[in-house]
Amino acid sequence: MIADALTGKRIAITGATGFLGTALVERLLRSVPDCELVLVVRPGRRTDVRRRVEREVLRNDAFERLREAWADDFDDICGRRITVVSGDVSIDGLGLSHDDRELLCSCDIIIHAAATVSFDSPLDASIETNLLGPNRLLEACHAEGATPHLIAVSTCYVAGNRRGSAAEVFLAETPFSMDIDWRSEVSAARRTRADLDAASRAPDRLRRFHRDAREELGPAGLPMLAAKTEQLRREWVDDEMVTAGRSRATSLGWPDVYTYSKALGEQALVELRGDVPITIVRPSIIESAFSEPSPGWIRGFRMAEPLFVSFAKGELDTFPGYPEGVIDVIPVDMVAAAIIAVAAQGPTSEAEIFQVASGAVNPLRFKVLTETTMTWFQDNPVYDAKGHPTASTQWRYAGASGLEEQLDRAMTVFNTAEKIVNHLPMRGRNDFTVRLAQRRAGLEQIRDYVQLYGAYGKCEALYSIDRTLELWDSLPDTDQERFGFDPRVIDWPGYIADVHLPTVITQARVKTTPQPRTGPSRNERLCTAVLDPARHFAAFDLENTLIASNVVETYAWLATRRLDTPQRVRFALRTLAETPGLWRRDRRDRTDFLRHFYRRYRGAPVGQLDADAAEMLSHLFLTKAFPAGLRRVREHRAAGHRTVLITGALELAVNPLAPLFDHIIAARIDSREGRYTGEMIDVPPTGEVRAQMMVDWAEVEGFELSQGVAYADAASDMPMLEAVGYPVAVNPETRLVTIADKRGWLCENWERAPGGPRPLLPIAPRFGVRASTERLDRSHRRSRATAIAGDRR
């Protein structure tokens, strides 16, 4: 019996945090009571490996049966039977300590399930993990003189894009095998990465990356633009490595880089195994569980699920395949059971291959898959937000290449539309902008999955499972009952409709009832979170966040306070003529714009401006304020949060707002002999400088940034928004709408109070004295703006 054969065995598993790995851990713990497990787990960036196993494996719903059976003893039993070591098969030496390597090599069996399973991974990433990963396990065994039974999980699709029978043999034994040197492939992959990295640093490409960064973030400040530029450069290298991997794989007859690297990994494993006995298990496409640990259990979206969900939501009505084609699917519990049976059987003197697949003995045809799916969604529709069913009534078939071309054309349209919208002077989170971004992202994802599915649709091989069935037939009835892996028992329509699709729809979290969703909306939940008393502080931008105004309007109000009508007309015309140039300068660099614009205050009398600024509070600021914004400031203070206003507006203009806030950080200009010089005392608080000022203030006050809230309206405020735990985009410009929606930030649309004055130009009311006594200096046109220098004659 299987359990008896594995009693007392120490079994190591790589890839335990993955779909198949989790199924293996659960099955061994439940069905082989006396075995010990050693889990080799890659450390997370911030998470200890033991914590990773606890969170990602043992808390998974796959363990519900064990939790019920073991009750309060669950943690103790897992602690006794599971040892977790930190290791990474993608790096030389596996990243193991000396003691952990000895522990690994002391195991009776090593099940190598770790892999880069993404079908569009960069070429070198797949090579390092899928090809060299098994080699590194062998090297560790050879170094310790150990000979554990190494069971390597591969894939049936190492047979490549072929038609007809694919036997359980090594590729070198097939009639159409190619002489490919895996060592040369490793060297070429590493060299390709180095070449592409060098190419990414060419001046023309760096300029393009910088231009694209500015296109996305706008005038967000040099550090953030530099970081985004570098991110785009690295992403370009990775994207080119993905293309290189796909091109190399398809040129050699494999559907993708995953199958290509797995095939070469098998070749290297057989060549280097030495005295270590090896067995290779090749599953086909692994999908949700047939029965164990529960029918339909699945971890994350596998291969077909995104297409099902896209069909259910009405986003895709064309299937990238043909009705008579076969999709070779195998439930995850059958793969886990077959691996455990192979482990219990023990190794032989020769390397063996077991394929776990369904196509040769119980084929699932695309027609059955699509028709069952359509029928199920007709009986169990998915609804949109208005309560309307969304699924198409018919699924059409098309070759993958034709469908890809349609999706590429649609992507081009959406990319162009998004660029146009980002340049429009719109503000606020409007449905059109959000839907455009979401639709574009959805199309991109669908296109990627269509490319994937199309590649596998071309694989018309029927994977023989003769050796696997021989193993099955050799098992006693009790083992066959407890460790089922015979795919002939699967009723595909029943499995799809009663087992698979219900779980997929649950995991997709789509709307399955026409009734409106109850409970607080997402924005309401986020709003509750930002006002939670646990928050420490709230930082506010001013312009277009709390008031519908800007520094140009402030200047215009102060400048016209003491002018007569003809002077006001001339001032207004000049300002309107300058507006396009000022707008362009502001978009290029906010700091440069403020330095340039504030020089217009040179020569203005300090006392007069201070008095006029107090008047401006009621005449300009309060009439243009957003009542919801002012209420939010008071709500934060009522919740015990400290409030700070951080603005690029001049300190002299915002000082009257001091009673609203605990602290104000604003731009300051120097003065001499009672007049302003127009020269800035500090770097104006914009972009990264604004964020740093907020960080410094929070540090002095003893506040945690993770408990901070920040309100702003523009992509140039990204450094400040990203610095806190609770960013809020208020009346955001289009570019920030897209960013905020992608990152799940709270978006607020605050409006001015209805019924207030709406002057076309921000001109102050007449001061009430003869304007001839308060004259503009004509040097205003030469940027020596003294329009507000009221007592100059």
Side-chain angles (χ1 to χ4, degrees), residues 376-447:
W376 193 86
F377 281 120
Q378 288 168 4
D379 296 335
N380 304 272
V382 169
Y383 297 89
D384 61 18
K386 297 180 180 179
H388 300 145
T390 57
S392 303
T393 57
Q394 188 67 31
W395 213 338
R396 299 176 297 168
Y397 300 94
S401 57
L403 188 53
E404 285 179 36
E405 290 175 2
Q406 295 176 30
L407 291 170
D408 284 340
R409 287 195 294 270
M411 282 293 300
T412 300
V413 171
F414 274 88
N415 286 337
T416 303
E418 193 171 50
K419 286 183 179 179
I420 293 173
V421 169
N422 280 343
H423 283 87
L424 294 177
M426 298 191 305
R427 284 193 172 272
R429 187 183 187 274
N430 59 80
D431 290 340
F432 173 76
T433 304
V434 173
R435 285 201 305 270
L436 180 66
Q438 291 175 343
R439 184 64 173 150
R440 178 190 172 280
L443 273 175
E444 189 171 20
Q445 186 179 49
I446 292 171
R447 183 189 61 181

Side-chain angles (χ1 to χ4, degrees), residues 569-589:
V569 171
R570 289 194 295 272
F571 175 87
L573 291 175
R574 279 198 303 270
T575 302
L576 288 173
E578 291 175 324
T579 297
L582 294 173
W583 180 78
R584 287 192 299 271
R585 184 184 285 263
D586 189 18
R587 283 182 63 87
R588 284 196 302 269
D589 190 317

Side-chain angles (χ1 to χ4, degrees), residues 706-723:
S706 62
Q707 294 299 326
V709 186
Y711 295 82
D713 70 294
S716 60
D717 301 311
M718 284 287 293
M720 183 173 79
L721 292 171
E722 288 192 325

Side-chain angles (χ1 to χ4, degrees), residues 46-95:
R46 301 178 181 177
T47 310
D48 174 79
V49 290
R50 292 166 183 80
R51 187 65 173 159
R52 274 199 71 191
V53 169
E54 180 184 338
R55 287 182 176 179
E56 300 177 31
V57 181
L58 300 180
R59 290 186 185 178
N60 189 275
D61 55 4
F63 290 81
E64 286 182 0
R65 287 175 62 178
L66 279 177
R67 287 187 176 277
E68 291 177 3
W70 294 348
D72 294 339
D73 296 326
F74 179 83
D75 292 335
D76 290 338
I77 295 174
C78 289
R80 289 197 306 270
R81 295 185 58 189
I82 297 176
T83 303
V84 184
V85 300
S86 177
D88 186 350
V89 298
S90 68
I91 60 176
D92 291 337
L94 301 172

Side-chain angles (χ1 to χ4, degrees), residues 121-123 240-250 256-257 260:
S121 292
L123 173 60
E240 290 298 308
M241 288 299 293
V242 169
T243 301
R246 186 183 300 122
S247 300
R248 183 55 177 160
T250 55
D256 53 43
V257 71
Y260 152 81

Side-chain angles (χ1 to χ4, degrees), residues 10-14 38 40 94 101 103-113 137-138 140-141 146-153 276-279 339 343:
R10 179 179 287 171
I11 304 172
I13 302 175
T14 68
V38 176
V40 182
L94 301 172
R101 188 175 71 173
L103 176 63
L104 172 67
C105 295
S106 71
C107 291
D108 303 287
I109 301 164
I110 299 176
I111 302 175
H112 176 49
L137 289 170
L138 284 176
C141 294
T147 56
H149 181 195
L150 176 57
I151 302 173
V153 180
V276 176
I278 66 169
T279 303
I339 291 172

Side-chain angles (χ1 to χ4, degrees), residues 183-470:
R183 291 180 177 83
S184 297
E185 297 297 308
V186 172
S187 299
R190 291 172 172 171
R191 190 166 56 250
T192 300
R193 165 73 70 173
D195 292 345
L196 286 170
D197 187 79
S200 72
R201 301 171 190 271
D204 58 333
R205 282 203 174 92
L206 291 176
R207 283 192 293 270
R208 192 187 80 190
F209 299 145
H210 184 75
R211 183 175 64 248
D212 291 345
R214 179 171 287 278
E215 181 74 27
E216 179 175 342
L217 298 180
L222 293 178
M224 180 160 281
L225 286 174
K228 186 64 181 181
T229 300
E230 176 62 11
Q231 177 189 334
L232 292 174
R233 185 192 71 81
R234 293 179 180 180
E235 288 176 354
W236 180 86
V237 174
D238 283 340
D239 289 344
E240 290 298 308
M241 288 299 293
V242 169
T243 301
R246 186 183 300 122
S247 300
R248 183 55 177 160
T250 55
S251 73
L252 296 174
W254 281 287
D256 53 43
V257 71
Y258 169 69
T259 53
Y260 152 81
S261 57
K262 278 291 190 180
L264 295 179
E266 285 189 13
Q267 177 185 339
L269 192 63
V270 173
E271 178 184 330
L272 301 175
R273 69 188 183 99
D275 295 330
V276 176
I278 66 169
T279 303
I280 295 174
V281 177
R282 293 176 180 166
S284 57
I285 298 170
I286 304 177
E287 283 292 354
S288 63
F290 184 69
S291 61
E292 301 283 346
S294 60
W297 175 78
I298 194 170
R299 182 167 183 173
F301 275 5
R302 311 317 303 166
M303 183 173 173
E305 290 71 39
L307 294 183
F308 293 153
V309 173
S310 297
F311 174 79
K313 294 165 69 175
E315 297 172 343
L316 184 69
D317 63 357
T318 305
F319 192 87
Y322 298 99
E324 67 274 16
V326 173
I327 176 172
D328 204 311
V329 169
I330 193 74
V332 64
D333 50 337
M334 292 191 174
V335 180
I339 291 172
I340 293 171
V342 167
Q345 175 187 257
T348 61
S349 57
E350 297 295 328
E352 286 187 304
I353 293 176
F354 291 85
Q355 293 184 162
V356 191
S358 63
V361 295
N362 184 14
L364 170 59
R365 301 199 180 277
F366 283 125
K367 183 177 181 179
V368 173
L369 174 65
T370 56
E371 289 183 350
T372 305
T373 301
M374 284 188 292
T375 301
W376 193 86
F377 281 120
Q378 288 168 4
D379 296 335
N380 304 272
V382 169
Y383 297 89
D384 61 18
K386 297 180 180 179
H388 300 145
T390 57
S392 303
T393 57
Q394 188 67 31
W395 213 338
R396 299 176 297 168
Y397 300 94
S401 57
L403 188 53
E404 285 179 36
E405 290 175 2
Q406 295 176 30
L407 291 170
D408 284 340
R409 287 195 294 270
M411 282 293 300
T412 300
V413 171
F414 274 88
N415 286 337
T416 303
E418 193 171 50
K419 286 183 179 179
I420 293 173
V421 169
N422 280 343
H423 283 87
L424 294 177
M426 298 191 305
R427 284 193 172 272
R429 187 183 187 274
N430 59 80
D431 290 340
F432 173 76
T433 304
V434 173
R435 285 201 305 270
L436 180 66
Q438 291 175 343
R439 184 64 173 150
R440 178 190 172 280
L443 273 175
E444 189 171 20
Q445 186 179 49
I446 292 171
R447 183 189 61 181
D448 293 342
Y449 280 111
V450 165
Q451 289 177 340
L452 163 64
Y453 233 121
Y456 278 80
K458 297 174 184 176
C459 298
E460 298 187 54
L462 297 175
Y463 305 108
S464 169
I465 60 170
D466 294 342
R467 185 176 287 116
T468 302
L469 290 179
E470 287 178 11

Side-chain angles (χ1 to χ4, degrees), residues 624-642:
K624 291 203 166 193
F626 303 128
L630 302 183
R631 283 196 301 271
R632 184 61 57 84
V633 177
R634 291 195 292 268
E635 287 170 340
H636 276 290
R637 299 189 77 171
H641 309 157
R642 292 290 296 279

